[in-house]
Amino acid sequence: MQYKKWIVRAAIAFAAFYLLTKPANAADAVNGAFDGIMQGADQLATFFSKVLT
């Protein structure tokens, strides 16, 4: 169980380091993730609208 705590802390430290050293790249990564989520939601909405009509 102790290793999970260290892995989480290392991931948070890496994310903070990445954010502070390359903020533009970090922002692009977050925008890309949100774009992917929005595309998935749009596709899901299209699917349900086609199924229900």
Side-chain angles (χ1 to χ4, degrees):
M1 291 282 189
Q2 213 49 0
Y3 66 92
K4 287 183 182 180
K5 188 184 297 184
W6 285 105
I7 290 173
V8 169
R9 287 181 181 172
I12 291 171
F14 176 74
F17 174 76
Y18 187 67
L19 179 63
L20 293 173
T21 58
K22 299 187 185 278
N25 291 346
D28 289 341
V30 171
N31 283 337
F34 281 135
D35 286 344
I37 291 170
M38 292 303 292
Q39 270 187 329
D42 188 42
Q43 294 293 332
L44 193 60
T46 301
F47 170 76
F48 279 115
S49 70
K50 297 249 183 200
V51 167
L52 296 175
T53 58

